[in-house]
Structures are given as structure tokens and as C-alpha cells.
Amino acid sequence: MTTARTMFRVALLGLLAMVAVSPARAQDDAKFDPKKLTTPALRRVQVPQPERYVMPNGIVVFLLESHDLPVVRARALFKSSPLWIPAEKVGLSDLTGEVIRSGGSAAHSGDWLDDRMAAIGASISTSISADQASGGFRCLTDNTGEVLSLFAEVMRAPVFPADKIELSKVGLRQGIASRNDEMIPILIRVSTESVYGKDNPYARKPEYATVEAIAQEDCQKLHARVFQPNRMVLAVYGDFKSAEMKKLLAEKFGDWKRGDDAVVPPPPVPGVAKPRLVFAPKEDVTQAGIIISHLGFRADDPDYASMTVFEMALGGGFQSRLVNKIRTERGLAYAAGASAGADYARPGVFMAYSLTRTDSALTALDLLRQETTRVTEAPFTDAELKVAKESVVNGLVFSFAEPSAILFRSSYFELTGYPLDFLERYQKALEGVNAATVLEAAKRKIHPDRFVAIVVGKEKEFEKPLESMGLAVERADISIPPPASKVAAGEASPAALAKGQALLVKAAGVAGGSPAWAAIKSVRMERDENVTMQGQSMAMTSVRQWRMPDHYVAARKLAMGEFTQGYDGTSGWMAAMGQVQDQPKVGEELKKQYERSLFRLFAEPGAFQVQALDEPKTVDGVTCSVALIKSESTRDWLLYFAPDGALARMEYMGEGMNGGPARTVEIYGDWKPVGGVQYPHSEKTLMDDKPVMEAKLTRMELNPTLADDLFKKPAAAK
């Protein structure tokens, strides 16, 4: 039978091949030219009709059954307001929204919830943003009762444990530390601040000081104010019987007492910002970012449908006007795009942006202004409009392909006061959009005379002065204020300074003396290192070569390969797995590293202002004298001196493994002679009291000849 089937299959394939090359087939190919195929218009999104009812305590409930899969999903929304967040505690909403879930309830801790949800393949989440709070769950049908009960528990009675609050603060600090890393987020942030005003609640951002000020009672107060049944809209979708779900919801939420029914403060609407050019300097980039912006509009505006097509035609894809004119035709943009400026709860911000070479920044700004002005004066071409409208319609269909997405959007409409048939009205409005409606909407919504231009980059490399753009120039400071000092040092009296200086001089003497250290101009070190990150340990070997102060290269070998980082006195780089990347921040970090190094401390102890602290400290059973070094680049820098005068440890506020600030501790041991100095052959590093690295020095060479080529950026592998 097998042979027969094989022969039949071979014969069939041969027959198909003959048909493929037959004259008749060739005629069919000409008849069915794929270029002449037409595709039917997409149907409207079919909006399901969920059951809506209101519980006695004010909870608005939407139920929509679907028995395709044994899964139940739910989302709860609550009205909130940024006016409830004190200016000195910005970050409170993010932290509270996270810790509601991560902290759990009195009956079930957040860690227990993590384990239980993982065991049954379920999830529970909570969050708070500017205008709303939300919570949700997803579970298998068989676990609906249990998960709904736990969901209600954390929503109604979270406990906000101190350790989870601190963990959430760590995440917020990391976000603060990295907020200037990416160009587009910087542009959007500065644009929002420039249009709304820095003091507007929607433009405020967390700082180290505002995060540090948040306490448990702040979380409890915000939760009590926002999470009230009469502010709640709950949508449940999936494999359940509506009668049974109503009973479950009554059991878990029915005894939740109404709140005070106070009206949620309406969002503050800013006035029209004055047109100007806002420049934010950023020296560690190889490109410039440009945005033009002004206040936008709400989505319930009659022009909303036309403006969504306008957005797509202006800057919504590779066939948009901005991409074609700035990137394709002129070759000036890495990226370009636009947002029409619609939002649901409040007016959004219109933005048109471009990322470009530094030496074409202001040329790109001119083009942005010209093209955006042009589309308020003349309609898009038929081809542009056709592509844009099809893209909007297609995107809508795919965004709401699942009934659950439509249900959850309907609950959002309920929360924000939009009509429940808003999606259907929007689809009908889209059908009537044409070149004329888009142009008229653009004339009403886009105001070139109100543009606030935002430019981020290196001013010295721009092709012409900022002042040549015909706008008043405002300089924005995007630097990140450092966290407050936690070192209680008192007044730096002459006696304290003299004592501190003596401690450092003695430590240098114990280690071989300042003249011997000052004679060291270069060094080569080989170490065995063990690094711990996120509970995982990695063993590696490193070779560091340093021609002080500003030529440095470090190669590390791991089990998965080797990576090298270097600085040639001008620019930084990293090479790994055949790839080479620029690292603009390496020079700044190397400068700090050199200042804190033993080579600098012991070679020039008199160059530092060292203040001895009044009280000694006992660490690991050893009582040490402690001194604070005043530095512009290193904060809270403490030196610990052992009873014999040797430097035992160093503490300072550094950058953690995840980017945020971390209290860094370096512990030195096993001092041995190398040339004419004593150098520690073991070193331990802790960050926020957690071990991150242990290192053993295996070989060290003083004053080796290190040529310039050693530090140069290598070529990438082809």
C-alpha cells in the first residue's frame, strides 16, 4: 500500500507540473492578474450589546457572555483626578496603583497572591493614572469564584506593606534615572510641559524628593478617595452565566458602602501657550530631536474622525507626508511622525516630530513647520488620503476584532461620560471623511501661529543659531535633581577638616605613601569576578588597562562570550558579539571613577576637602573612623578608616545595576605589595545592602606602556 500511495503521489505531482506549464494555464495567468484584483471594503466593527445594570451601591456593571473559551476576564475602572496628588508627592498614583496588588490584603499577602495566581494560571492587576484607576483579572472558568474573591479583597482592603512601598519606590527611582535616555520620551515630556505648563498636574513628573516623601498613609488616603463603588464601572467578559455572575458580584461587592458622592475635580485645561522655541541641551547624543506642538482637543469634538485621518496622512506611517518630504525626499530624518492631539478626558497635545542629524536640526524644524502649515492650506492628495483613511479603518477593525475589546472600551465610555454608542458614531463619521472635511478640520484644529517648537540636542553642532528661527528662545533644564543627602555631617569646622585630612594622609602612608602613588601613571589589572544580578550569579575574568586619567579599556570574559568597554579620551564605546556601540556616558562615569580611585585619593590627598565625622562607626565588628569627602560629582562620599589607619571601605551614592541611584559600598581587603605600593587584592561591592560583586586581583602591573590604539573604538564585524 505504501508503494502504491507513493507512486500515486509522484504521478499527481507530475500531472500538476504539466498543467502548470500548459498553454491553457498561461492564458489563465493573464486572465487572473493579481494587480487587477480588488478587495471589498471592510465591514464596520460589529458592536455587541452587553447587559448593563447598576448595583444598589452605585457600581455600573457590564456583562457579556462568550463560551468560546473556558476563560473569564474583567476590568474595573474608577474616576480619579491628578488634583488629588500633592505636588510634593508626585509619583503617589503610580506607587499606590502598583502596591494595591503587590502588597495584597491582610488575609493574603502579595507574595502569596503571586504564587497562587501562577499555580492556577490566573492574574490580578491594579494601576492608577492621572484620570482613572483600574483593576482587572483573568482566570479559567473553574477558578472564577476564587479569583473574583481575591480581586475584590485587594481592591477593597489593600494593606500597603512598607517593604512593597519601598520596592515600588526603587522602580520609580529607576524611571527617574533613565528618563533622559531616549530622545522621543524627552521630546514628549518637554512638549507637554511647554504646552500645559510645568505646574499643571498633567505635566508634573516624579523626582527623587517627591518619591521619598510618599508614606503609607498617603497610599491609604488616595485609595480610599478613588476606590469607591459609586465611582466604579465593572465589565466582565467570558465563560459564565449572567445570573450566576450577578450573584457572585453581589456577594463580593454588594456590602461595599458608597462613598461621599463628591464630584471628581474636572481636569484643569491650560490656556493657549505662547509660541516660542524651547531648547533642551543634551550633550550625550549623536542626533537631534524636534517637535512642534500646541494644545489639542477632546475626542468628542465633531472633527475627531477627520483629524484621525489627518494624523495618519501627516505622520502616521511610511507613506505619510512628513516621512515622504523629510526622510524620503530630503534624507534628513531617522524618524518622523505626528499626533493630532485628541484625548478623551481632556484636550491632548498636537505634535509633529522628527529625529535628524545634529547638523540638520533646524533645517528639519523648518520643514516640519512648512509641511504642517501646508496641510492647513491645501488638501492632501487623493493617494495620500486614500492610504490614510484605509489605514485608520483597518486599524479600527483589528483593534476591535474581539468582542472583549469593544466591551472594555464601552466601560471606558461610561466612565468618561461618552455615549455608549460612541464607537458606532465614530465609524459612521469616518465613512463621511474626505479631502474637504480633513482640510476644514485641520484649519480649525491646527494653528501654525501657536506652534511651540521643541529642540533637543547639541547646540554647538547645529547648522545655524537657534535665534535665527524667528521665535523667542527659551532654554529648558532637563537635568535630574539628585536625591537628598542622607548623611548627617554637621558643620565642616576647621578641626573636623584637619582631622579628616590627617586620616586620608595616614591611609595613603600605610598604603606606600603619596609619592609612590603619584608616580603611577598607568596600570594593568587582571581579576576574577563574580557578579550577582536579580538573584543570578555570573563568573567572569576581567582585564582592565588604564592610562590615567582618561584613557581606559576593560575586557570581560563570560561563559557566553566577551565584551569590552573603552574610552579614548574623547568618546566611549562597547563591543560585544561582533557589534560595536557608542556609549556617550562612559566619559562622565570614568571621570567619577578616577576621582574615587585609590590612585587619585592616595596620590593627592591634599586635593580633597575631607571632613571627619564626630562619631565612629562599627562595621563587621571593627570600629572605624569615618570622614566625608565633599565632591561635585560624587554624593554622600564616605571613607572608613580601620584602627591601623588603612582604608577599609568606601560608601557613596552611585548608579545601581538597574539604572536608579543606589547606596554603593566598596569593601577592601587582603592588601599586598605591588611595586612600591600596597594594593587591596580582594574587593566586595554592595548596592543598597545587597551584594553585587566579589573580585580577586590575580595580576597587576604598574606603569605599563599603553599605546593610543589600545583605547580606540574597534570596527564592527562584517
Side-chain angles (χ1 to χ4, degrees):
M1 290 294 292
T2 301
T3 302
R5 283 198 300 268
T6 301
M7 293 177 65
F8 174 75
R9 186 165 62 249
V10 171
L12 180 59
L13 290 172
L15 178 61
L16 291 174
M18 292 172 63
V19 171
V21 298
S22 67
R25 181 65 178 176
Q27 294 172 5
D28 288 343
D29 285 346
K31 187 182 299 183
F32 295 102
D33 185 349
K35 295 179 181 178
K36 297 179 181 179
L37 292 177
T38 58
T39 56
L42 288 173
R43 294 185 302 170
R44 281 192 190 180
V45 173
Q46 301 302 304
V47 179
Q49 298 302 315
E51 180 180 357
R52 179 190 181 277
Y53 71 98
V54 182
M55 296 176 62
N57 57 3
I59 299 176
V60 179
V61 181
F62 289 87
L63 300 179
L64 184 61
E65 295 183 25
S66 173
H67 305 287
D68 295 340
L69 295 171
V71 174
V72 174
R73 297 168 57 196
R75 187 172 77 168
L77 299 176
F78 300 81
K79 285 186 178 180
S80 186
S81 172
L83 297 177
W84 288 340
I85 307 301
E88 67 274 12
K89 295 184 179 182
V90 176
L92 173 60
S93 56
D94 293 321
L95 187 148
T96 303
E98 179 180 339
V99 181
I100 288 173
R101 165 60 183 86
S102 67
S105 66
H108 298 98
S109 71
D111 292 340
W112 183 91
L113 284 171
D114 291 341
D115 292 339
R116 183 57 184 162
M117 293 299 101
I120 61 176
S123 64
I124 294 175
S125 62
T126 58
S127 66
I128 302 177
S129 60
D131 298 306
Q132 68 180 54
S134 67
F137 72 81
R138 185 183 188 280
C139 65
L140 296 175
T141 304
D142 292 344
N143 304 121
T144 302
E146 177 188 2
V147 175
L148 178 57
S149 178
L150 294 170
F151 174 66
E153 202 175 278
V154 298
M155 295 272 283
R156 295 180 58 177
V159 293
F160 300 107
D163 61 329
K164 297 302 183 183
I165 289 176
E166 179 56 34
L167 185 61
S168 184
K169 286 185 177 182
V170 170
L172 286 170
R173 294 184 194 116
Q174 291 170 357
I176 294 168
S178 62
R179 75 182 180 208
N180 286 339
D181 289 354
E182 299 295 332
M183 181 65 77
I184 289 181
I186 296 173
L187 287 169
I188 293 174
R189 185 179 74 243
V190 176
S191 177
T192 303
E193 292 174 353
S194 301
V195 171
Y196 271 81
K198 282 189 174 182
D199 295 330
N200 188 284
Y202 289 113
R204 295 187 309 215
K205 56 187 178 294
E207 301 289 2
Y208 293 123
T210 66
V211 170
E212 190 66 28
I214 298 170
Q216 183 187 57
E217 55 266 29
D218 299 312
C219 300
Q220 294 167 336
K221 182 179 178 180
L222 181 62
H223 170 267
R225 175 174 264 177
V226 175
F227 284 75
Q228 297 181 7
N230 43 305
R231 300 196 198 286
M232 180 175 173
V233 179
L234 176 64
V236 188
Y237 173 84
D239 187 26
F240 58 83
K241 299 291 186 182
S242 292
E244 296 174 2
M245 181 57 68
K246 289 181 181 179
K247 184 178 179 181
L248 270 175
L249 295 177
E251 290 175 0
K252 304 307 176 184
F253 292 105
D255 62 345
W256 195 2
K257 294 183 179 179
R258 294 179 66 97
D260 57 13
D261 284 327
V263 176
V264 178
V269 179
V272 176
K274 64 178 181 179
R276 62 200 189 281
L277 189 157
V278 180
F279 171 64
K282 185 170 173 60
E283 296 298 319
D284 60 344
V285 292
T286 57
Q287 62 181 9
I290 304 101
I291 273 187
I292 53 175
S293 59
H294 62 54
L295 190 65
F297 57 96
R298 279 175 47 110
D300 54 1
D301 189 285
D303 287 329
Y304 177 56
S306 291
M307 288 305 293
T308 57
V309 177
F310 168 90
E311 174 182 305
M312 188 64 65
L314 178 63
F318 281 106
Q319 298 187 61
S320 66
R321 176 71 64 88
L322 293 180
V323 171
N324 279 329
K325 294 295 183 181
I326 302 178
R327 177 176 175 166
T328 305
E329 293 183 11
R330 296 292 298 273
L332 293 180
Y334 302 113
S339 171
D343 206 337
Y344 284 89
R346 63 187 187 276
V349 177
F350 163 75
M351 299 179 185
Y353 75 90
S354 175
L355 303 183
T356 185
R357 301 192 317 266
T358 304
D359 62 359
S360 62
L362 302 185
T363 303
L365 172 57
D366 267 334
L367 285 171
L368 267 182
R369 294 194 295 183
Q370 291 168 12
E371 292 303 327
T372 307
T373 300
R374 187 169 288 128
V375 294
T376 67
E377 300 170 342
F380 289 101
T381 66
D382 291 343
E384 288 175 320
L385 193 73
K386 181 176 184 294
V387 170
K389 187 173 179 179
E390 287 179 352
S391 297
V392 171
V393 173
N394 291 347
L396 188 69
V397 170
F398 286 107
S399 295
F400 295 104
E402 297 295 329
S404 59
I406 304 172
L407 173 71
F408 295 143
R409 180 57 65 93
S410 296
S411 68
Y412 180 69
F413 292 152
E414 175 83 32
L415 184 82
T416 52
Y418 280 64
L420 295 182
D421 65 346
F422 181 80
L423 181 58
E424 294 167 290
R425 297 185 187 189
Y426 172 59
Q427 291 186 92
K428 184 177 180 181
L430 272 178
E431 292 174 356
V433 170
N434 55 45
T437 66
V438 170
L439 178 60
E440 291 305 311
K443 289 179 178 179
R444 287 187 287 267
K445 295 295 180 292
I446 307 302
H447 307 284
D449 59 330
R450 300 178 188 174
F451 284 160
V452 178
I454 315 296
V455 180
V456 180
K458 296 181 183 178
E459 183 178 8
K460 63 184 178 183
E461 296 183 8
F462 294 162
E463 71 274 33
K464 53 187 175 180
L466 294 169
E467 289 74 14
S468 67
M469 302 306 293
L471 293 169
V473 177
E474 175 184 311
R475 296 179 182 273
D477 181 7
I478 62 171
S479 62
I480 301 170
S485 173
K486 295 185 178 181
V487 175
E491 184 180 355
S493 66
L497 293 173
K499 183 179 178 181
Q501 185 64 225
L503 287 170
L504 182 55
V505 169
K506 183 177 180 180
V510 170
S514 292
W517 283 91
I520 301 172
K521 305 301 181 183
S522 63
V523 64
R524 186 179 190 276
M525 293 184 287
E526 298 179 14
R527 305 199 313 178
D528 291 334
E529 301 174 349
N530 194 73
V531 177
T532 302
M533 292 180 63
Q534 299 178 345
Q536 302 294 320
S537 294
M538 296 181 293
M540 64 184 77
T541 60
S542 73
V543 178
R544 303 182 181 190
Q545 301 180 84
W546 195 355
R547 197 175 76 199
M548 291 169 276
D550 60 357
H551 284 67
Y552 180 88
V553 64
R556 292 178 174 88
K557 291 183 179 180
L558 296 81
M560 72 279 293
E562 179 175 331
F563 72 94
T564 305
Q565 189 176 42
Y567 189 75
D568 63 5
T570 302
S571 57
W573 52 269
M574 185 179 74
M577 295 182 289
Q579 302 296 314
V580 180
Q581 294 181 343
D582 291 328
Q583 291 203 312
K585 293 184 178 181
V586 170
E588 179 184 343
E589 291 304 314
L590 183 60
K591 183 178 179 181
K592 296 177 184 178
Q593 183 179 332
Y594 176 64
E595 182 185 43
R596 293 191 303 265
S597 72
L598 302 183
F599 305 105
R600 177 89 162 92
L601 279 172
F602 289 166
E604 300 181 77
F608 297 91
Q609 180 178 310
V610 190
Q611 176 188 353
L613 302 188
D614 295 335
E615 299 295 330
K617 292 187 179 181
T618 300
V619 290
D620 298 330
V622 178
T623 300
C624 297
S625 300
V626 184
L628 171 69
I629 295 186
K630 184 178 180 180
S631 168
E632 294 297 327
S633 60
T634 300
R635 303 184 65 254
D636 294 352
W637 185 6
L638 297 177
L639 302 181
Y640 287 67
F641 301 96
D644 64 357
L647 181 62
R649 63 193 277 156
M650 180 188 298
E651 294 183 6
Y652 54 91
M653 186 60 70
E655 184 176 303
M657 302 295 274
N658 293 317
R663 186 66 189 165
T664 303
V665 178
E666 297 176 3
I667 303 171
Y668 309 116
D670 193 20
W671 293 76
K672 294 179 181 179
V674 178
V677 301
Q678 296 281 328
Y679 197 87
H681 281 54
S682 72
E683 182 180 332
K684 294 181 181 180
T685 304
L686 294 83
M687 291 183 176
D688 290 333
D689 300 322
K690 296 180 180 179
V692 296
M693 187 179 71
E694 290 192 20
K696 290 186 177 181
L697 184 65
T698 57
R699 186 173 182 271
M700 185 173 183
E701 181 182 357
L702 302 182
N703 291 318
T705 300
L706 303 177
D708 287 346
D709 289 347
L710 179 66
F711 308 100
K712 293 295 183 183
K713 174 180 162 182
K718 295 182 179 180

